[in-house]
Amino acid sequence: MGRRTRISLPVAMAMAIALVAIGPGSLPCLGQTMNYRALEEIFGEHVTTSATGSPQKVADAPVNMEIISADDIRRSGADNIPDILRFVSGIDVRRYGATNADIGIRGYNAANSPRVLVLLNGRQIYVDYHSYTAWSTVSVQPEEIRQIEVIKGPNTALYGYNATAGVINIVTMDPIFDPLNQVTLRGGNRGEQKMSAIGTAQWGDKAGLRVSASEHGSREYSTADQPRAFGPYPSHNFNRTAYAHGRAELPSGITVSAEADVTKSKQFEMTVGGYPGWTAYESDREKVGVGGATSLGYLNLNAYRNVVDFKYFAGWDCITCVGVINTLYVVQASDLAKPAVNHTVRAGLEYRNNRGNGSAYPGARFGFDVYAIDGMWHWLVTPKVALTSSVRLDHMTFSYHGPVDPLVMYSAKEYNRRPMTEPSFNESVVYKPTPDDTIRLSAARAVQAPDFYALFPEPVDPTFLVGNVAALEGSPNQKPTIIMNQGVDYDHKLPALKSSAQVSLFRQTSQAILASPGDSGIIDANRLGYAGNIGRSRALGGELGLMGENDAGWRWKTAYSLVHITDRIAVNQNLSEPNSSIDYRRGSPVHSVVLGLGRSWDKFEADIAARWQSGFDDISFGGDGTALIRTRIDDYTTVAGRLGYSPLDNVTLAATGQQLNRPRLATTAGPRTERRLIGSITLRF
């Protein structure tokens, strides 16, 4: 890219990104190194790298994306990601315990939903053993999040298998550009207590380090209506986290970064298939990265390790509990370049080493390796028309080393199955007929791979009995689920109302749907239930929204979303074993409405948000813990609000209420969610 001019990093960033005003294709190759604050001030809107791996304005992104800003997060009063996302249209949040929730995008949600990939600054938080996100292992504090980027729709062409319904990327404050030093104390009913602290050290505009830590505890929702066979249930839950993020620009112009976090928690949880009980998590994750401009473009190299150790079920004191340790190593390399004024290209390589072991699989070690290549081409055809094409090829190899029970129909050799190679793509056309209008057409092919639980054998336990199934086993003969998605979006700015309106429509088909053991209906003569492919499904839907904010401090939001699902599933659906965890038609709310209103004046902020959604079917176990039962969750409304007051510039007092309209409410087949009233004080230094 030629010789660099020696100017300060913030100025260089602002000058470089300012070129995008000509059009998204003119954006220079800056990779993940961006001064978000400066760019937002220049453009008056959010910027992102999550859509294509290349920096761009959100308005130019070739995917349907919604940004939850730091202001939105503060005004929500929430202290965890699921509660922040609850009032985002198109997102279904199911809270199965006081600190446990599952999130779906555009339908297909369930306990431990596998379709939404969650990232922290681009590194995976998602746990591959059960293909879900353990939200208690997210280590960052809400106050240190710059924005949460929600991609609605498949994007495995950039992120790999399992980003099939969408992607949630949590972007934190930059340790160089965003000084943040504060302590927050929270307390409320039901034993709610939390203390968090964030500190930043900066060395000019060349290096910075931010650290944060928290401890949180509360009483669990009442589990009196949960089957006693899976007790004893926790009466309290707790969560401890620590996180560090450092970044520096060397004199050579190379940028280096590092992140590390640890978490520890205990909580009530509904696991795959609807088994209720407690889960204990311990996680530690580390990431290092280096990037810099070269004659070939902007090169990035990242490597990270995730270790998640979780234990479940057998006794709150974990005397006889079982569990799995999931260890993931990832190495990523990419090159972002501009071969011509109107063309931006990116090429990437990725290697993933994913392994599992633990007391749930005594004497066994299993996992898979992934070798992937991906590319992106962005072409600014005219100042009003842009084409973006992203492709990826994933090659997966599987391995299993350990004993296999003689009752299992497969041999150890068969569990070292043949490799799986699958392509993904995302294609998009963005057309801007006027400065106030954006039309986006998109098509995607996405791949959902089977997880450890569905692939590999567990020891047969003859004392375990659910319905007519004696034990649950993985199967090596599964195919990946293939998702095809088409969408059209229309965004329109209303300057006179200081608002913007969005309309989106989508059609999605899922072929060879994966079902975990016990859900597939595949049961052999030994009463062993195996994972498998069970059919196909189609979803049609869309969203309609209006949001804005005026000079008087008022802000508003209203949104409606629709998801209609049709299943063609071949699975045992008798009344005693309904398997409704994969009954997507009845298991997904068809309608939802989100309303929000707020105002800032003088030293006060006041916000209230409401969500109504239609009813759906969830699953749970009967009182004896041996049979699945279908549980109807009626339509419901939940209301949350926050009042904030800042008597001094560095002090904020706030009162937050969750589920203000009802003291107890059935929102899932888990314990009824309960009203929370919380007060907090934040001191900034």
Side-chain angles (χ1 to χ4, degrees):
M1 294 183 65
R3 183 175 299 173
R4 290 177 56 127
T5 304
R6 300 298 298 174
I7 58 178
S8 69
L9 184 59
V11 174
M13 292 294 179
M15 291 175 60
I17 301 296
L19 296 175
V20 78
I22 303 173
S26 64
L27 193 61
C29 307
L30 297 174
Q32 295 285 342
T33 307
M34 298 200 302
N35 185 341
Y36 285 86
R37 186 184 302 277
L39 303 181
E40 290 171 0
E41 292 176 354
I42 290 173
F43 296 115
E45 64 179 85
H46 298 291
V47 295
T48 181
T49 64
S50 293
T52 62
S54 174
Q56 59 191 155
K57 297 187 295 182
V58 170
D60 297 330
V63 295
N64 186 302
M65 175 181 285
E66 184 165 344
I67 301 292
I68 298 95
S69 69
D71 287 338
D72 296 331
I73 294 170
R74 182 188 70 253
R75 292 164 181 163
S76 73
D79 72 336
N80 60 78
I81 305 298
D83 283 343
I84 294 169
L85 295 174
R86 178 178 291 278
F87 299 99
V88 175
S89 64
I91 289 185
D92 177 29
V93 177
R94 300 192 183 179
R95 184 159 289 289
Y96 286 101
T99 57
N100 171 246
D102 288 281
I103 290 178
I105 297 178
R106 293 179 169 177
Y108 298 96
N109 197 9
N112 297 151
S113 176
R115 292 193 170 209
V116 177
L117 182 65
V118 179
L119 309 169
L120 174 60
N121 293 326
R123 63 183 170 104
Q124 176 178 313
I125 299 296
Y126 186 91
V127 180
D128 288 290
Y129 170 65
H130 269 327
S131 293
Y132 73 109
T133 297
W135 291 100
S136 61
T137 68
V138 177
S139 57
V140 296
Q141 305 308 308
E143 295 86 356
E144 61 183 323
I145 298 174
R146 167 160 290 284
Q147 60 193 41
I148 301 174
E149 303 171 337
V150 180
I151 297 175
K152 302 176 185 178
N155 207 315
T156 64
L158 179 60
Y159 295 106
Y161 63 89
N162 294 346
T164 51
V167 178
I168 298 172
N169 187 24
I170 304 164
V171 179
T172 62
M173 300 290 185
D174 192 293
I176 295 179
F177 302 130
D178 301 306
L180 188 62
N181 300 281
Q182 66 178 54
V183 172
T184 299
L185 302 176
R186 293 169 57 95
N189 67 326
R190 301 204 55 77
E192 179 77 20
Q193 299 179 47
K194 182 178 180 180
M195 179 177 71
S196 63
I198 306 170
T200 308
Q202 295 172 310
W203 295 269
D205 61 357
K206 298 299 182 183
L209 173 66
R210 186 181 67 256
V211 296
S212 65
S214 71
E215 178 157 351
H216 172 260
S218 67
R219 291 201 301 274
E220 185 52 75
Y221 296 147
S222 172
T223 55
D225 55 351
Q226 298 299 303
R228 294 296 93 195
F230 292 98
Y233 298 118
S235 58
H236 290 75
N237 55 67
F238 76 86
N239 178 248
R240 301 185 184 107
T241 70
Y243 171 70
H245 182 195
R247 203 166 66 80
E249 180 167 300
L250 305 180
S252 61
I254 294 175
T255 298
V256 296
S257 62
E259 292 180 76
D261 65 73
V262 294
T263 67
K264 185 174 183 178
S265 63
K266 279 187 178 181
Q267 63 189 28
F268 180 92
E269 185 169 313
M270 297 283 280
T271 62
V272 172
Y275 299 90
W278 69 266
T279 305
Y281 288 95
E282 294 186 31
S283 71
D284 64 88
R285 304 181 176 97
E286 303 84 24
K287 177 184 176 182
V288 294
V290 59
T294 73
S295 59
L296 299 176
Y298 193 93
L299 300 180
N300 265 319
L301 178 63
N302 296 309
Y304 64 87
R305 183 191 77 141
N306 291 351
V307 180
V308 179
D309 180 353
F310 63 98
K311 300 178 176 66
Y312 53 93
F313 291 160
W316 177 242
D317 294 327
C318 200
I319 297 173
T320 59
C321 61
V322 295
V324 176
I325 301 173
N326 190 174
T327 303
L328 169 68
Y329 292 91
V330 179
V331 179
Q332 301 165 319
S334 66
D335 181 23
L336 186 62
K338 286 189 64 64
V341 173
N342 292 334
H343 297 270
T344 302
V345 297
R346 185 186 56 78
L349 297 171
E350 181 177 278
Y351 169 68
R352 305 172 70 86
N353 177 281
N354 210 328
R355 293 294 180 267
N357 67 287
S359 57
Y361 298 83
R365 183 168 177 83
F366 47 87
F368 52 77
D369 296 274
V370 180
Y371 307 84
I373 182 171
D374 66 271
M376 183 275 297
W377 172 41
H378 179 91
W379 176 23
L380 186 65
V381 183
T382 73
K384 295 184 177 182
V385 179
L387 304 179
T388 303
S389 177
S390 298
V391 295
R392 179 179 171 117
L393 185 68
D394 283 284
H395 176 74
M396 303 181 68
T397 60
F398 304 86
S399 65
Y400 178 84
H401 303 283
V404 177
D405 195 286
L407 294 177
V408 175
M409 72 169 70
Y410 303 108
S411 66
K413 181 179 179 180
E414 289 176 286
Y415 280 103
N416 289 274
R417 58 169 291 191
R418 64 187 184 277
M420 184 181 77
T421 303
E422 290 290 344
S424 302
F425 67 76
N426 280 74
E427 307 292 334
S428 176
V429 178
V430 178
Y431 172 50
K432 295 190 170 185
T434 74
D436 293 331
D437 297 280
T438 300
I439 300 171
R440 184 183 302 106
L441 304 176
S442 62
R445 182 186 197 267
V447 180
Q448 179 188 345
D451 57 33
F452 291 176
Y453 178 59
L455 279 171
F456 300 115
E458 291 191 67
V460 173
D461 181 359
T463 66
F464 179 75
L465 183 66
V466 177
N468 66 339
V469 180
L472 306 177
E473 299 293 332
S475 168
N477 292 331
Q478 299 167 88
K479 300 177 181 178
T481 299
I482 304 300
I483 293 95
M484 301 296 295
N485 189 88
Q486 302 84 37
V488 56
D489 307 315
Y490 174 54
D491 300 342
H492 178 62
K493 295 179 181 178
L494 302 165
L497 299 178
K498 297 187 180 297
S499 299
S500 61
Q502 299 87 31
V503 180
S504 65
L505 300 171
F506 68 90
R507 178 184 186 274
Q508 186 178 114
T509 59
S510 300
Q511 301 286 345
I513 291 174
L514 288 163
S516 63
D519 284 338
S520 68
I522 303 172
I523 303 171
D524 69 7
N526 295 315
R527 292 188 301 162
L528 305 182
Y530 291 87
N533 299 104
I534 58 171
R536 63 186 187 273
S537 180
R538 184 186 69 182
L540 300 173
E543 298 163 34
L544 174 65
L546 178 70
M547 64 183 66
E549 184 172 356
N550 64 22
D551 296 336
W554 287 99
R555 49 189 169 271
W556 55 90
K557 175 181 180 179
T558 179
Y560 165 74
S561 63
L562 166 72
V563 180
H564 182 268
I565 296 176
T566 304
D567 295 327
R568 296 290 185 269
I569 293 175
V571 65
N572 178 10
Q573 295 274 2
N574 64 59
L575 293 177
S576 63
E577 296 175 60
N579 291 307
S580 60
S581 61
I582 45 82
D583 186 348
Y584 299 122
R585 180 181 66 85
R586 287 181 288 188
S588 299
V590 176
H591 309 279
S592 67
V593 177
V594 173
L595 301 173
L597 182 65
R599 190 189 179 196
S600 298
W601 73 100
D602 298 328
K603 299 180 178 182
F604 291 89
E605 287 183 329
D607 290 87
I608 190 167
R611 176 188 176 92
W612 171 87
Q613 68 176 48
S614 58
F616 66 96
D617 281 5
D618 206 354
I619 63 167
S620 63
F621 273 78
D624 60 357
T626 62
L628 288 167
I629 59 173
R630 192 185 305 279
T631 302
R632 183 64 181 176
I633 308 301
D634 294 330
D635 67 289
Y636 69 85
T637 300
T638 185
V639 178
R642 173 185 177 272
L643 177 63
Y645 171 60
S646 298
L648 302 172
D649 291 341
N650 63 336
V651 178
T652 298
L653 307 175
T656 300
Q658 298 173 357
Q659 201 173 287
L660 292 170
N661 54 313
R662 294 281 295 275
R664 300 186 75 229
L665 184 64
T667 61
T668 67
R672 293 174 181 265
T673 58
E674 298 174 346
R675 178 181 292 156
R676 297 280 186 174
L677 302 174
I678 301 167
S680 68
I681 178 171
T682 299
L683 306 176
R684 291 174 291 274
F685 306 98

